[in-house]
Amino acid sequence: MKGLLPRLIKRILGGIVMILVVASFTFFLIHLIPGNPVEAKLMQLETAGVTPLRAQIEVQAMYGFLPHQPLDIQYIHYIWQILHLNLGQSITYAGVSVTHLLLEAMPWTVITVTSGIIVSFVVGILTGVIIAVYRDRGISNALTLFSTFLHGIPQLILALLLAFLFTTIWPIFPFGSPYDAVLTPGFTLPFIGSLIWHAVLPVAAYAISSYGGWALTMKSSVISVLGDDFILASELRGLKPRIRIGYIARNAILPLFTTLTLSIGFMFGGSVFIEEIFDYRGLGYMLITAVGNLDYPLMAGSFLIITVAVIVANIIADFVYTAIDPRIRT
Amino acid sequence: MSAKLTDRSQQDFGLSPEVACQVRDLNVTYRVDGRELSALREVSLDIRQGQITAVIGESGSGKSTLALALMNAVSSPGRIASGRVTYRGLGEVTGMRGEELRRIRGKAISMVFQASQNSMNPLTRIGAQLLDLARSHDLPNPRAVLREAGDLASRMSLDADRVLTSYQHQLSGGMRQRVGIIFGLVLKPEILLMDEPTTALDVLSQSSVLEIVRSIQRERQLTTVLITHDMGVVAELADRVVVLYAGRVVEEASTAELLRHPRHPYTRSLIQAIPRLTGDPGDAKALEGQPPSLASVPNQGCVFRERCPYRMDVCETILPSFRFDGDGEHRFACHYEEARHD
């Protein structure tokens, strides 16, 4: 309990170090790519008739560093720009800053990924409890089979299947961008409605692909907790069923939080496929676009922002875990 | 509802005045690989009001199963195949189910568990769990339970405030065992079942905890069933002893009588197996052989004959019936002893 603030500060500092490590990694990755995209861009501008000085200024604006400076100076310059939240300019969307592009795309991915995780976690856990509690009955076997089946389908295939079924065969749900283009973003009913309508398929893809895993993990967790001495004791002490279910649920959900933490990173990784398939303009979509167009600033920026999201999510998950498990606190 | 309950508490359900709980022809079986194996066979007992009755036996003798059966809590794959357990003022628990049974468990009949140190929810403070217990039994003033628990904790030389605000993992094994005993006593039950209550304690805290249990039992005239494998604990604590072997009662008497004049060869070897504090530890004799497993208990004849030094032909085929001795207060089931005294 005590020392929560120092712990938080420690975790945040650790997170910042991690972010800088990833940023450094992407910096050197760009330098390792054969053909050096920065040099190539400089050459391209110069052959297009831009004066060398002008070309240098443009390239610096784009990448945050100049290719002719020594590597360490370039590196320091790059990190310095990141610390000022300046991620350079996009090549695909010429003249638009990467920070701006990513900030536009980020909410959609965060909303869909988070909703997907919450829906699959809640539904999966409830299914797991039902499977465990009624494990002598037919319903339990049916649910286990169903969950195992869903767990076995790769996310990519599932997303393709959903897109095919619900936007082509039965076009019930819209395809593409996070909301209807005619609407202006804001807290208006049509806008939020449109947002939800567009998010249904991506969220369903995230949720269905991870639901089976939660159900099966929760099932075994509940069964193991049901065999614990204190659960038998609570029955023989005549505790009310409501209170006993609370005891079982809290103890069974606990080990799943570790998996939840890991799944956050996995889900953000999955957004690359899912947003591409549904043409949903979020971070994953940005990353694919950047890769396709050799847009290195946008690529580096996307990597960085996904890293930040995963690290922040992990810190939050870690603190939630601390709040629900007293054994971690002492 | 409450009128019906009050009526019940006045009823004796056909039990004679000194008996708090009557067990009749209790058979408990476990289903293993499609076979029904008996864990308890034709167990009949009278548990006396206000006394400590010890049930002693080796592991596998069915003593923990008996404790569960006394609360009608034998769970799958086991079941109470036949027989009755009837309590004064409560009725026949073997016929109760669901909510009726839940209200009795932990309130009128409470149990201290063998693995008491693991009997608490690891995620909730001890005090909060005591409140859960109080609320589950609809006590008008749940806070009073905390006060009672605090008093009990102090008596067991625990720091009451610290224990109530602690989580299980913050307490030592011995402290948790004592907390388990507090859970058993805090709602002032009429019957206390204790299944190996002191196994996790070292010898010194064992005797101090037993002393406290004994003094609380005397104060409240608490009917207690003590399940144990330790003849030393029995000698220190119990008023009466029931000896269980392979799911059958083989001897029953008052503690003094049993220790002085054990009749069944199994009881004698249990007494001989107690190491003395003074003298040669080599004088303590362990009983040779292993008790039969559920599957290997003989279906006819005496259950103890495989390890019995006085084995006779009749022991192979005929189950010894009970012989009564000393005003009918002492009973045993042994062909050899019967023959010797006739």
Side-chain angles (χ1 to χ4, degrees):
Chain A
M1 287 296 250
K2 65 176 185 242
L4 199 69
L5 196 66
R7 240 172 67 89
L8 184 66
I9 290 169
K10 220 171 112 188
R11 283 304 308 260
I12 288 173
L13 287 178
I16 289 172
V17 170
M18 189 96 90
I19 289 164
L20 288 179
V21 168
V22 173
S24 311
F25 182 72
T26 44
F27 173 83
F28 289 107
L29 195 70
I30 287 174
H31 276 268
L32 284 173
I33 291 172
N36 190 345
V38 181
E39 291 269 17
K41 188 72 199 169
L42 203 62
M43 297 275 278
Q44 187 198 334
L45 287 173
E46 280 176 18
T47 33
V50 183
T51 59
L53 189 66
R54 174 105 198 113
Q56 280 194 4
I57 292 169
E58 264 188 47
V59 169
Q60 184 166 21
M62 221 174 259
Y63 289 94
F65 57 84
L66 268 176
H68 297 307
Q69 288 167 329
L71 203 61
D72 51 341
I73 302 286
Q74 285 184 32
Y75 174 67
I76 290 165
H77 194 75
Y78 175 73
I79 297 293
W80 184 248
Q81 291 296 321
I82 285 178
L83 292 177
H84 289 81
L85 299 181
N86 182 2
L87 301 173
Q89 285 183 0
S90 166
I91 296 171
T92 328
Y93 307 88
V96 186
S97 83
V98 168
T99 317
H100 178 79
L101 282 172
L102 292 178
L103 282 181
E104 286 242 298
M106 190 165 67
W108 315 128
T109 302
V110 170
I111 288 171
T112 47
V113 165
T114 314
S115 315
I117 289 177
I118 291 173
V119 169
S120 66
F121 193 69
V122 170
V123 178
I125 274 176
L126 291 178
T127 317
V129 170
I130 292 171
I131 296 177
V133 170
Y134 300 109
R135 61 185 181 283
D136 303 329
R137 304 191 201 166
I139 173 114
S140 172
N141 292 331
L143 282 173
T144 306
L145 201 68
F146 179 64
S147 308
T148 314
F149 175 69
L150 287 185
H151 188 51
I153 304 177
Q155 202 178 35
L156 180 68
I157 300 203
L158 187 85
L160 279 172
L161 200 68
L162 285 177
F164 178 62
L165 287 179
F166 297 108
T167 65
T168 313
I169 305 267
W170 304 292
I172 314 170
F173 291 107
F175 186 75
S177 46
Y179 51 89
D180 286 331
V182 290
L183 297 166
T184 36
F187 276 102
T188 58
L189 211 57
F191 175 73
I192 292 173
S194 164
L195 196 66
I196 293 174
W197 202 234
H198 281 263
V200 167
L201 284 183
V203 168
Y206 290 122
I208 295 173
S209 63
S210 56
Y211 150 83
W214 294 127
L216 297 176
T217 321
M218 186 63 181
K219 169 200 167 188
S220 57
S221 186
V222 169
I223 288 176
S224 111
V225 169
L226 283 176
D228 279 350
D229 286 329
F230 76 93
I231 294 298
L232 176 67
S234 73
E235 187 184 346
L236 295 187
R237 285 180 185 137
L239 293 195
K240 284 186 172 159
R242 186 173 49 77
I243 296 176
R244 292 191 61 223
I245 288 168
Y247 281 19
I248 296 168
R250 257 188 88 187
N251 280 279
I253 287 175
L254 211 53
L256 270 72
F257 266 90
T258 325
T259 327
L260 181 67
T261 317
L262 295 173
S263 87
I264 295 168
F266 178 77
M267 290 286 227
F268 270 100
S271 75
V272 171
F273 299 119
I274 287 181
E275 291 181 0
E276 168 69 7
I277 287 163
F278 293 105
D279 191 30
Y280 194 84
R281 310 283 167 97
L283 284 178
Y285 184 87
M286 276 296 159
L287 188 56
I288 284 270
T289 314
V291 171
N293 295 308
L294 290 179
D295 188 345
Y296 290 97
L298 188 56
M299 214 193 297
S302 304
F303 274 136
L304 197 66
I305 205 99
I306 289 177
T307 313
V308 172
V310 171
I311 288 171
V312 168
N314 274 309
I315 292 176
I316 293 173
D318 194 40
F319 275 85
V320 170
Y321 200 102
T322 313
I324 59 173
D325 191 348
R327 285 166 294 194
I328 306 290
R329 278 176 235 154
T330 34
Chain B
M1 183 75 185
S2 67
K4 194 180 138 206
L5 285 177
T6 345
D7 281 345
R8 253 196 179 190
S9 69
Q10 304 303 325
Q11 286 177 30
D12 61 12
F13 296 94
L15 271 58
S16 50
E18 76 278 5
V19 177
C21 168
Q22 190 188 60
V23 181
R24 285 292 172 268
D25 301 317
L26 189 66
N27 284 288
V28 175
T29 59
Y30 284 90
R31 196 171 179 80
V32 181
D33 299 330
R35 286 206 299 154
E36 294 275 341
L37 304 176
S38 290
L40 288 178
R41 295 163 184 246
E42 294 159 36
V43 171
S44 293
L45 279 178
D46 285 338
I47 290 160
R48 305 204 178 176
Q49 186 78 46
Q51 293 198 357
I52 298 183
T53 304
V55 176
I56 189 166
E58 287 164 283
S59 0
S61 60
K63 53 194 194 309
S64 289
T65 301
L66 177 61
L68 289 174
L70 288 176
M71 293 185 106
N72 190 7
V74 179
S75 59
S76 179
R79 66 188 182 95
I80 296 178
S82 62
R84 280 172 307 148
V85 176
T86 313
Y87 288 89
R88 161 184 309 282
L90 296 174
E92 193 191 317
V93 287
T94 35
M96 292 181 188
R97 307 189 60 189
E99 185 66 6
E100 194 182 12
L101 203 53
R102 182 187 76 72
R103 282 172 186 278
I104 289 177
R105 287 175 179 170
K107 178 85 170 42
I109 311 171
S110 82
M111 183 154 168
V112 174
F113 304 94
Q114 189 167 13
S116 238
Q117 66 272 33
N118 299 324
S119 71
M120 273 77 68
N121 181 352
L123 303 183
T124 312
R125 290 174 204 277
I126 304 296
Q129 294 185 57
L130 285 162
L131 288 176
D132 283 345
L133 181 68
R135 292 199 187 101
S136 288
H137 292 288
D138 300 316
L139 295 199
N141 182 7
R143 294 264 147 203
V145 170
L146 290 185
R147 223 173 303 128
E148 174 71 19
D151 290 347
L152 287 167
S154 313
R155 286 185 71 168
M156 297 203 215
S157 48
L158 294 172
D159 178 347
D161 289 335
R162 199 195 131 200
V163 165
L164 294 183
T165 54
S166 287
Y167 292 97
Q168 170 183 285
H169 69 277
Q170 294 166 325
L171 305 173
S172 71
M175 291 164 96
R176 287 191 220 170
Q177 190 99 5
R178 281 177 241 197
V179 171
I181 294 172
I182 292 174
F183 269 87
L185 289 169
V186 73
L187 295 188
K188 303 206 161 92
E190 285 145 49
I191 315 273
L192 179 67
L193 310 177
M194 296 200 288
D195 188 359
E196 307 266 12
T198 55
T199 31
L201 301 180
D202 60 85
V203 183
L204 284 178
S205 37
Q206 170 171 326
S207 73
S208 82
V209 165
L210 289 179
E211 210 166 283
I212 294 150
V213 168
R214 180 72 182 171
S215 76
I216 292 169
Q217 185 269 335
R218 286 220 177 102
E219 265 166 44
R220 298 187 184 172
Q221 286 298 302
L222 183 59
T223 307
T224 305
V225 178
L226 174 70
I227 310 280
T228 181
H229 62 271
D230 186 341
M231 203 43 118
V233 171
V234 170
E236 210 173 314
L237 220 57
D239 298 302
R240 284 190 75 76
V241 191
V242 175
V243 182
L244 213 57
Y245 188 85
R248 283 189 187 277
V249 175
V250 294
E251 183 161 11
E252 181 192 347
S254 72
T255 308
E257 164 76 9
L258 190 98
L259 290 174
R260 226 174 289 137
H261 307 295
R263 303 295 295 270
H264 198 281
Y266 178 61
T267 314
R268 279 198 217 125
S269 44
L270 279 182
I271 293 168
Q272 276 165 6
I274 311 176
R276 308 282 163 202
L277 276 179
T278 52
D280 188 355
D283 286 348
K285 275 197 229 90
L287 177 57
E288 298 288 320
Q290 295 289 319
S293 71
L294 282 190
S296 66
V297 177
N299 276 321
Q300 55 171 14
C302 174
V303 285
F304 184 61
R305 63 171 188 266
E306 295 295 332
R307 299 164 83 186
C308 184
Y310 312 111
R311 184 171 172 175
M312 304 186 300
D313 286 346
V314 63
C315 305
E316 306 287 334
T317 48
I318 297 169
L319 181 73
S321 51
F322 281 112
R323 291 272 298 184
F324 290 85
D325 213 1
D327 311 329
E329 292 284 282
H330 188 167
R331 61 174 172 145
F332 58 92
C334 176
H335 289 304
Y336 172 77
E337 277 291 301
E338 209 172 311
R340 205 158 70 109
H341 287 265
D342 281 346

